[in-house]
Amino acid sequence: MSSPYDIDEIFPEDVAESVRLPRRQVGNSPQDLAVTLLADYTLRSRAWLPSAAVVALLAETGVSPAGARTALSRLARRGVIEGRREGRRSSYRLTAAAAAFLAVGGSAILAPGAAQPWDERWTLIAFSLPQGEGALRRGLRNQLRWMGYAPLYDGLWVSPHELGAKTKARLAELTLGTLTVFRASHVELDAAVRRNPIDAWDTAGIAREYESFLERWSPVLPRARAGRVTGIEAVSARTEVMNTYRRLPVLDPHLPLRLLPPGWLREPVRELFAAVYDGLAGAAEGHVRAVAGDVPGVRAHTVADLVTGFSKLS
């Protein structure tokens, strides 16, 4: 199975200009955790958080103080956060560009998938790049993955969805060689030689990811509803459930249910994520406020907030 959600698939380092979000590592990197913490509680307001508070919150997830400070320094160099100093006290917040990117990304991965009829046609994107342009190839592949496409063959990517206006505009911005886009129906051939377009996705692997999510988070929901997940545990669990869930819509970009095995778990997983994430919001916000010194503008965002893309984000 191809690598699951990589934050560079939303903001590829090879093509992003003003903002370069962290490259995903095995597990959760300190930079990735820092971005999630800032986004979960300050995305709308872009509130300034004392660096000592961010270091303390990261320490609760197992990041050393030195590792946390290094992560903040690197994020500032990437243009993800900006810092200020007042006397001996330093603070950080998301940059306007990073907040805008994260708001759009959150809306895309958290919006519920409407059960619309499928016309049994596929959108195909064929591309050709000059030899030696490995970085450009990676950037284009990452962008296509984020936009819901998968590689049927090396230079031919497919999606069951029509080419939307946003995707068309994004492709028009990519000056990365030659692109051809067309929409067509699949013709069945002898099983020995055919490859069905749905085979571009590892559906068995995606199903295992869904099952693993349900197994991990189903026991947490009753405890969250009963108010038995508090303080440090609430912040840690809320960060983990977001980091885990946000990979899944990239793996399964609302593939037509008729092409998938019966009992597909996309919606049960989304419903569980929303219940856990929102159910922990109050306790997590209280703890972040306590650590940060009740900084104005700190608020635990809900799934509904993220789905709207923070339409009032300024």
Side-chain angles (χ1 to χ4, degrees):
M1 185 175 181
S2 61
S3 172
Y5 173 91
D6 187 323
I7 202 163
D8 282 340
E9 290 174 355
I10 304 180
F11 313 105
E13 189 167 341
D14 297 321
V15 298
E17 295 178 356
S18 60
V19 178
R20 293 187 296 120
L21 291 182
R23 186 176 299 279
R24 186 170 177 80
Q25 303 172 6
V26 175
N28 292 315
S29 74
Q31 291 182 67
D32 198 37
L33 290 169
V35 170
T36 300
L37 282 168
L38 288 167
D40 277 349
Y41 304 98
T42 70
L43 184 55
R44 183 190 296 275
S45 65
R46 295 179 53 231
W48 291 96
L49 288 185
S51 60
V54 180
V55 170
L57 289 167
L58 289 174
E60 294 173 354
T61 68
V63 179
S64 69
R69 286 190 288 270
T70 298
L72 292 173
S73 177
R74 289 176 175 171
L75 288 171
R77 288 199 300 270
R78 288 173 173 267
V80 179
I81 62 175
E82 57 190 0
R84 71 177 183 186
R85 180 174 290 275
E86 297 176 334
R88 300 181 61 182
R89 174 175 169 170
S90 60
S91 301
Y92 289 97
R93 71 175 181 179
L94 293 168
T95 62
F101 279 144
L102 289 164
V104 172
S107 175
I109 66 174
L110 292 170
Q116 298 179 351
W118 181 49
D119 63 3
E120 299 189 24
R121 294 198 298 163
W122 297 84
T123 299
L124 298 97
I125 298 179
F127 62 87
S128 176
L129 296 174
Q131 290 291 331
E133 296 290 355
L136 293 179
R137 180 178 294 273
R138 288 193 300 273
L140 177 56
R141 288 168 64 92
N142 287 339
Q143 288 285 339
L144 290 172
R145 177 74 71 180
W146 171 244
M147 291 187 289
Y149 290 77
L152 187 61
Y153 300 104
D154 183 43
L156 183 64
W157 287 58
V158 298
S159 167
H161 305 299
E162 293 188 21
L163 190 69
K166 290 183 180 179
T167 301
K168 187 180 297 184
R170 185 68 190 108
L171 289 174
E173 296 171 1
L174 300 175
T175 55
L176 303 175
T178 302
L179 287 173
T180 300
V181 182
F182 51 100
R183 192 156 174 83
S185 299
H186 173 241
V187 177
E188 291 287 349
L189 298 174
D190 184 274
V193 298
R194 71 181 174 91
R195 190 179 189 213
N196 195 300
I198 193 63
D199 294 336
W201 287 266
D202 181 0
T203 56
I206 297 170
R208 288 193 296 271
E209 292 284 337
Y210 283 149
E211 291 166 359
S212 177
F213 186 95
L214 293 174
E215 181 179 357
R216 167 68 178 90
W217 293 104
S218 292
V220 176
L221 183 56
R223 296 182 58 237
R225 285 175 170 168
R228 298 200 303 271
V229 183
T230 59
I232 294 174
E233 185 184 3
V235 175
S236 177
R238 201 163 184 265
T239 300
E240 181 186 347
V241 76
M242 170 60 82
N243 279 349
T244 302
Y245 177 79
R246 68 184 183 182
R247 309 169 195 174
L248 300 177
V250 177
L251 297 178
D252 173 15
H254 300 305
L255 298 171
L257 290 177
R258 62 181 297 180
L259 300 177
L260 300 169
W264 195 245
L265 296 173
R266 178 195 300 146
E267 283 308 304
V269 164
R270 184 191 181 281
E271 291 170 3
L272 177 60
F273 163 75
V276 171
Y277 186 78
D278 288 355
L280 295 173
E285 178 184 317
H287 183 69
V288 172
R289 284 182 174 277
V291 174
D294 204 25
V295 172
V298 172
R299 185 170 74 84
H301 309 309
T302 65
V303 167
D305 292 329
L306 297 170
V307 166
T308 65
F310 291 91
S311 56
K312 297 181 180 179
L313 192 63
S314 59

